[in-house]
Amino acid sequence: MAKKAKKQQPGGTPATVALTAADVPYTVHSYDHDPAHPSYGEEAAEAMGVPPERVFKTLVADVDGALTVAVVPVAGKLDLKALAAAVGGKRSAMADPALAERTTGYVRGGISPLGQRKRLRTVLDDSATAHPTICVSAGRRGLEIELAPADLTRLTDAVLAPIGRA
């Protein structure tokens, strides 16, 4: 049974602080995170009642020795070859989770593309542009930000590319 999403006042994480400072419109959605759920992203979509193609997960990969953020729909998977190509790289692999957490300042399952401790190059799956708003992690498990894909692209200097696959 899906949990009902609650709307919260903005603030509280580096991601929401960054959005507020940039004067970007956004909505924060919170829900009770279930540690036993097999997928953070699918749990978020279910809890908020949002189609999974509008909820995006933030993954950190190593592309030719440089950490890179990939933002893809929760319903699919990251295409590592496409990610490498999107940033002009040759090889890509998922980053060590502990390194991703230390570098971004967020915990796995709560990594946001915004407000990271060290700003990493970012690639947003181009399917995001098909929606007026998308949801991404707000910086902790059980907290999501809904915003326009164009705002996310601008604030992260993201490259738009087809990096997701079903």
Side-chain angles (χ1 to χ4, degrees):
M1 183 159 123
K3 297 173 191 103
K4 183 143 173 87
K6 300 172 274 184
K7 290 195 177 178
Q8 253 187 5
Q9 291 300 316
T13 70
T16 58
V17 169
L19 287 167
T20 301
D23 199 28
V24 169
Y26 67 98
T27 302
V28 175
H29 301 276
S30 68
Y31 58 92
D32 294 324
H33 166 62
D34 176 4
H37 200 288
S39 168
Y40 298 119
E42 289 176 12
E43 176 190 27
E46 291 167 9
M48 294 185 304
V50 174
E53 60 270 9
R54 281 192 47 229
V55 180
F56 283 66
K57 57 189 169 187
T58 306
L59 304 171
V60 181
D62 180 319
V63 179
D64 296 337
L67 291 182
T68 303
V69 171
V71 185
V72 296
V74 300
K77 298 187 184 309
L78 171 62
D79 182 333
L80 288 164
K81 287 183 181 185
L83 175 64
V87 295
K90 293 182 181 183
R91 294 185 184 180
S92 180
M94 293 307 297
D96 173 69
L99 178 60
E101 288 179 344
R102 278 194 312 275
T103 304
T104 64
Y106 294 118
V107 297
R108 195 167 62 105
I111 295 177
S112 178
L114 298 157
Q116 297 175 357
R117 181 178 292 149
K118 179 181 178 189
R119 189 172 179 172
L120 301 173
R121 63 183 170 174
T122 301
V123 181
L124 174 61
D125 186 72
D126 61 1
S127 68
T129 61
H131 310 287
T133 61
I134 60 170
C135 297
V136 297
S137 177
R140 70 175 171 253
R141 297 171 188 154
L143 200 64
E144 294 281 313
I145 300 168
E146 183 177 352
L147 76 165
D151 289 331
L152 180 61
T153 301
R154 181 175 49 81
L155 291 174
T156 60
D157 291 324
V159 171
L160 285 170
I163 60 168
R165 60 183 164 93

